Structures are given as C-alpha cells and as structure tokens.
Amino acid sequence: MSDRWYEKAVVYCLDIDSFADADGDGCGDIRGLIGRLDYLSRLGVTCLWLNPIHPSPNRDDGYDVSDFYNIDPRFGNLGDFAELLHEAGNRGIKVIIDLVVNHTSDQHPWFQSARSSPDSPYRDWYVWSETEPADRKQGMVFPGEQAETWTYDRTAKLWFYHRFYKFQPDLNIKNPAVREEIKKICSFWLQLGVAGFRMDAVPFIIEETQPGDPTAPMDFEFLTELRQHVQWRKGDAVLLAEANVEPAQLTQYFGDAGGSSNRIHMLFDFMLNSKIMLALAREDPEQVIDALRDAPKLPPGGQWATFLRNHDEIDLSRLTAEQRADVFAKFGPDEDMQLYDRGIRRRLAPMLGNDRRHIELAYSLQFTLRGTPVLRYGEEIGMGDDLTQPGRHSVRSPMQWSLLPNGGFSTAEPDRLVRPVISEGEFGYSKVNVTLQRHDPNSLLSWFERMIRTLREAPEIGGGECKHVDVQVPPGVLVHRADDGTGTMVFVHNLGTEPGVVDLSSLAGEAEFPNDVLADQEYPEPGKLDAIRVEGHGYRWIRLRRTA
C-alpha cells in the first residue's frame, strides 16, 4: 500500500474569484474561501487546487500573470494566503496552485523591459524573430479567437512568439536564466506552504520554438530538473500536469527512457475523459474498456488524475470526427454549447438533462476508475452553466450557497459581481444551492459526501491496479475491479437505461464476504455473485475481500 498522499487524494478545483466573497466587493476572495473550508472538509476534500492567484490584467482569467511572487489584490494579500494554508492544514487539506510559466502577461515588467531595448537583461527571456515567421498562422490554441502565434512588436521592432493570445508572450525555456527563475518561483511558494503545483500547458513550456519551424523539439530534461528541485525543497510536493498529447508521448512526461519516475508525478487523463464522454453519449462502455486496456504502463509513483468537468471546455480533439459528432449530438447539439470546434462548454448536470441517476452514475464511474479524482466546484450540488457568458466563462459562474441574494456568494449589487450568478430556470440558485441540499439527506450533495467517505475506506481505488473484468454482460454494462494489498473491490456500472443482470461467479473464489458498500439503490445481497442485478443508470460497488 503506497503512502504517496496524492494517490489517495480527492482534489477540488476552484476559482477564488467565483467561490465566496467575504468583503462584499463582488469578487470572491481568500477570506471567503477560508470561511468555507469546513464545508470542503465535510465534503471529503483532501486537496485544493486553486486556479491562478497572481496579479494579472485579467484578460485571460488570470492566466496572463504580471507578478509570480504575489497575490492578486482582488483576492487579498500574502498574509491572507498564509492564513489559508494554515487553516486548510488544520483540516487536513493540502493546497496546490496553478503554475503558469509557459508565458507571462505582456504587462509583466520582464516583457516591458525585454521589448524596450536590445540591451535589456530580459530580451532573451522571450522568443523573438527578426523576420516574419513562415509558420506565423499555425499552432493556435484558440482557433476563432486567435489569428496567429507570432505578433510584431513596434517597440522592439521584432516578432514575438505566443502560443496563446498575443497579450501572453512565451518565455524562452532555452535560456538558463528563465529555467532558474521558474525554479525560484516554485521555491517561493513551497516555502510559504503549498503542497505542489498544477502545471499549465506543459508541452508548450518545454517546446524549444524556432521561427518557421512548427515542429519544435521538446526539452523533457527541464521537467527532470524541475522535479528534482521541487523534491529537494519539499519532499512530498507534487507536480500535476496538463499535457493533452498523443498516448505514445505520455510516458515521457512521467519519466525518462530508463523507466524512472523522475519528472511529473501526475497527469490529467484527457484520453480517458473523452472516452467516458463518448461512452455516456453512446450508452456503451466499450471505449472505456479500450482506454483501460490501452493505457501506457506508468512508472512507480506515476499517477493519473481523472475528471469529468474542469475549468475549460470538454476537449474532444482526441476522438475521431464520427465519435466527436456523437458526443456533440448528445451533449452539445447547439452551436453556442460548443467551443473551438473541439469541445463542449457545459457543466455535467445540464449535459445529462439534470437526471440525478445519470449524474450519480457518471461520477461513480469517474471515482472508481484508476487515478486520483478531481472535482470542479459546484458539481457536487449539480450547478448549471451560463451560456450567455463568453467562451469558458460559461462554467465559471459563482458558487451557489443559499437562498440569499446572489446565491449567498456576495452581498454586492448584482451588477458588481465578477460574473452573474445563475438565477433563472431549473439551475437557478433558488433551486440549486448548498443550504437546500444540506437539509436534504437524499440530495446530490449528501450523496457526494457518502460516496467520498466510501472512497476513503477503499484505498485500492485509485492507488491500486484497475482493470476491466471480461465477462458476458448485457448491453451498456461495464464491470471493472481494483486490487492492491488492502483488498479487492469490483464495480458494476450500467450506462444504459434498461436493467441488467451480470454473472460474476467467476470471482467467487476470491471473495470472502461480498457486500455492497455503495449502490444506487438497495439490492439483494451479492451472495454467490452469479446474479448481480443493476438498474438502468445504476451502479454497485461490491467489496470482495479486505486484507488486514
């Protein structure tokens, strides 16, 4: 049984500005978050992942950083953040923060200096070209919103590279001074007390861009350097990376060719995410089975991070055109539900028609598959999306706490809120909020609390071996298992709407006293495992054995 904390974590992702406003200015803040830590503790959260917290012009929701060594004044100050780390630690909650070092804001003092003079000490901290690059209009991350990846700067009289928006110039990873500065940033926040970093856009951090060469080499050795540096500064610190790349490339992010786990600890499992969405759309688990079977073997200590919804769109770019069309048709049929021709900008509850059974099924499936589960704020109460908001802001509306004005998020006037609270329809805060669900033992929030408590009692989930159980099943049914030194669990999920019965008697020889530890309803005892019934959109977590 591993003692790596991140293998047993439940990670909760939130934007500070959208979570809780303590001072009534319309923007969430650190003091507001501190006031809600007991809620997160009761939910079962063991790790908070905070989206960007640094000062920023805020043209890209904080991902355009102008100072890596401070807190956005809208949220508070470094003293408030230190208090957050202390209070979270008192509740057994670790905190990781976004590390956005692929680029800076064009307002960052480094870039302002770099563009001002060829003699600036920061000139070589960015990627420049004296002539217009031939690949200027290639490689855009935000098609439809981006026209190019190279922009001419009239002050510098040079073209600068930006994988994202033109107000986010890329840092030059080939410059040793830049590499050392990134390590210094990590050291600062580790010393303050964070437990690690979610690294944004890692493939773009390590690409060694050359003008006119769209196939830049990748410097994976920088990840080795960074891992070593972080580990020496704080032994149990974790690096959780976003790397939506081809499956064949994934293992290079975990470690070198020798099989060592000496780079990133955890990677978001984008491939599994899109396969789950396809499976839910088709009511057919075959794609999830393929994902479990075809996943690359990770080195010891390497871990997947699973998710259904995050702060961005659901990225379906790894699916085929036919598969993507099926998911769009089911979950994002309208053009305003889609983004960048590759994703869906909706929360899960409205995608699934606010069908409680379907929502439970989906999250039960995510939380029982391999890896560490990551949960987006508001999903635990079934919050909706706001498609009137531009782009990714549709899934970044304020948290809905109560029946108070603005859903209890803020006492500010509605026109001063950082973003509108959802107030109308079936997902309005008068119908969907924490307080109402807290008083209802049958609410989605209560279910999430029970599910996460059950997860904490089953350490083989996430940290153990996860594999498909290959038996005859009715259409739509998936059976998988989790094993490690603590015991064995088997899971039955019915993605279809019709009930089914599964014969799992082939596992009876491994069972001591098989029993349901979580299910969508009361079922007959598993007994000899030869007639395991599961309703449409139903699920069963069955413990086969427990090892002392």
Side-chain angles (χ1 to χ4, degrees):
M1 179 177 170
S2 168
D3 61 357
R4 301 181 183 94
W5 68 265
Y6 56 88
E7 292 184 351
K8 304 177 187 66
V10 175
V11 182
Y12 190 89
C13 169
L14 63 87
D15 305 283
I16 290 179
D17 66 357
S18 304
F19 199 61
D21 173 19
D23 60 12
D25 67 352
C27 179
D29 46 47
I30 294 171
R31 302 303 305 179
L33 172 54
I34 291 172
R36 297 296 185 176
L37 287 175
D38 289 326
Y39 165 80
L40 297 175
S41 178
R42 176 170 173 171
L43 179 60
V45 171
T46 61
C47 179
L48 268 181
W49 158 29
L50 303 181
N51 289 144
I53 61 174
H54 306 305
S56 163
N58 210 33
R59 297 181 66 186
D60 184 23
D61 229 17
Y63 285 90
D64 47 333
V65 177
S66 57
D67 180 359
F68 289 103
Y69 295 99
N70 218 324
I71 297 290
D72 189 321
R74 298 180 306 147
F75 304 156
N77 55 41
L78 283 170
D80 294 323
F81 188 72
E83 184 70 11
L84 169 65
L85 295 176
H86 173 73
E87 292 293 344
N90 284 346
R91 293 161 177 80
I93 298 174
K94 296 180 183 292
V95 178
I96 64 176
I97 63 172
D98 262 354
L99 182 67
V100 189
V101 290
N102 160 246
H103 52 246
T104 69
S105 165
D106 61 2
Q107 301 303 305
H108 196 293
W110 299 343
F111 187 71
Q112 289 299 310
S113 174
R115 68 197 290 259
S116 68
S117 167
D119 299 323
S120 165
Y122 296 104
R123 173 57 69 95
D124 194 40
W125 282 43
Y126 295 88
V127 184
W128 304 94
S129 175
E130 294 183 355
T131 58
E132 179 180 346
D135 60 341
R136 174 186 163 197
K137 296 185 181 294
Q138 296 182 34
M140 282 81 75
V141 175
F142 303 128
E145 296 182 12
Q146 256 182 295
E148 57 191 7
T149 53
W150 290 87
T151 293
Y152 187 72
D153 184 81
R154 295 181 185 280
T155 301
K157 296 181 173 59
L158 296 170
W159 296 81
F160 69 88
Y161 181 66
H162 52 91
R163 175 61 85 162
F164 292 83
Y165 296 112
K166 65 181 181 182
F167 53 81
Q168 294 169 318
D170 273 33
L171 287 165
N172 178 15
I173 196 64
K174 291 188 291 185
N175 186 335
V178 171
R179 300 161 84 104
E180 289 306 308
E181 190 70 24
I182 292 173
K183 295 174 189 175
K184 184 176 162 186
I185 292 166
C186 292
S187 297
F188 177 85
W189 293 101
L190 289 171
Q191 191 66 32
L192 203 59
V194 303
F197 305 94
R198 177 263 185 182
M199 295 182 66
D200 185 56
V202 170
F204 302 144
I205 294 176
I206 62 174
E207 66 176 0
E208 298 182 329
T209 305
Q210 295 285 347
D213 181 6
T215 57
M218 311 287 271
D219 185 3
F220 285 97
E221 282 309 303
F222 177 64
L223 298 181
T224 309
E225 287 178 35
L226 189 64
R227 163 70 176 266
Q228 185 180 49
H229 177 82
V230 166
Q231 216 81 71
W232 274 108
R233 290 303 175 103
K234 188 171 187 177
D236 66 347
V238 68
L239 296 174
L240 167 59
E242 177 190 56
N244 191 1
V245 299
E246 293 293 336
Q249 301 172 13
L250 287 169
T251 54
Q252 297 179 80
Y253 288 87
F254 286 105
D256 57 32
S260 298
S261 179
N262 59 355
R263 291 174 183 163
I264 300 297
H265 300 81
M266 304 173 70
L267 279 183
F268 286 106
D269 200 339
F270 282 95
M271 185 60 75
L272 181 62
N273 175 256
S274 60
K275 298 290 190 181
I276 291 176
M277 290 302 161
L278 180 59
L280 291 172
R282 291 179 170 178
E283 299 184 351
D284 182 354
E286 195 63 34
Q287 294 295 324
V288 175
I289 295 169
D290 289 346
L292 293 176
R293 184 190 63 227
D294 299 339
K297 182 175 175 58
L298 303 187
Q303 177 78 338
W304 298 109
T306 67
F307 63 101
L308 293 184
R309 289 303 294 114
N310 62 13
H311 58 300
D312 294 333
E313 72 281 2
I314 297 173
D315 191 336
L316 306 173
S317 58
R318 299 289 167 195
L319 300 181
T320 66
E322 179 186 359
Q323 292 170 338
R324 194 158 48 248
D326 286 351
V327 180
F328 278 143
K330 184 77 171 182
F331 298 139
D334 299 337
E335 189 172 337
D336 71 340
M337 298 174 177
Q338 303 171 15
L339 198 60
Y340 309 133
D341 298 322
R342 66 172 183 244
I344 297 175
R345 63 184 201 108
R346 306 182 73 192
R347 278 189 179 263
L348 194 74
M351 282 173 53
L352 298 181
N354 206 18
D355 182 326
R356 171 68 181 276
R357 291 184 60 81
H358 212 174
I359 295 168
E360 283 189 23
L361 168 75
Y363 276 107
S364 171
L365 181 59
Q366 179 211 341
F367 274 64
T368 57
L369 290 171
R370 59 162 192 249
T372 298
V374 180
L375 182 67
R376 175 72 169 159
Y377 81 91
E379 288 292 301
E380 73 275 16
I381 59 172
M383 273 178 58
D385 43 51
D386 185 354
L387 297 177
T388 67
Q389 293 294 299
R392 294 166 163 179
H393 281 185
S394 59
V395 295
R396 300 177 183 180
S397 56
M399 182 68 176
Q400 297 167 198
W401 293 105
S402 70
L403 291 164
L404 291 171
N406 301 324
F409 162 70
S410 173
T411 57
E413 292 299 318
D415 61 356
R416 294 185 59 210
L417 299 184
V418 62
R419 278 181 287 279
V421 176
I422 297 175
S423 57
E424 304 296 333
E426 62 181 324
F427 296 102
Y429 69 79
S430 64
K431 295 183 179 179
V432 177
N433 67 64
V434 170
T435 301
L436 285 178
Q437 296 196 24
R438 172 65 67 235
H439 293 286
D440 180 1
N442 296 314
S443 68
L444 183 61
L445 175 60
S446 297
W447 177 83
F448 261 100
E449 291 175 353
R450 288 195 301 275
M451 190 260 288
I452 292 174
R453 283 199 304 271
T454 305
L455 181 77
R456 304 302 301 159
E457 295 177 353
E460 57 267 66
I461 303 176
E465 181 185 15
C466 176
K467 59 184 179 181
H468 170 235
V469 178
D470 191 8
V471 294
Q472 288 286 334
V473 294
V477 174
L478 169 68
V479 182
H480 68 283
R481 61 186 289 169
D483 300 86
D484 77 354
T486 65
T488 297
M489 298 273 288
V490 65
F491 310 97
V492 183
H493 289 86
N494 187 352
L495 279 63
T497 56
E498 297 299 318
V501 178
V502 183
D503 182 357
L504 295 178
S505 58
S506 58
L507 304 179
E510 304 177 50
E512 295 172 347
F513 179 69
N515 62 101
D516 283 305
V517 295
L518 188 73
D520 63 287
Q521 63 178 53
E522 288 291 330
Y523 288 103
E525 288 297 322
K528 298 179 181 179
L529 301 172
D530 55 348
I532 301 299
R533 180 179 175 83
V534 60
E535 291 296 323
H537 291 166
Y539 56 88
R540 297 178 71 171
W541 299 17
I542 301 172
R543 174 161 291 290
L544 292 188
R545 63 181 181 86
R546 163 72 83 184
T547 302

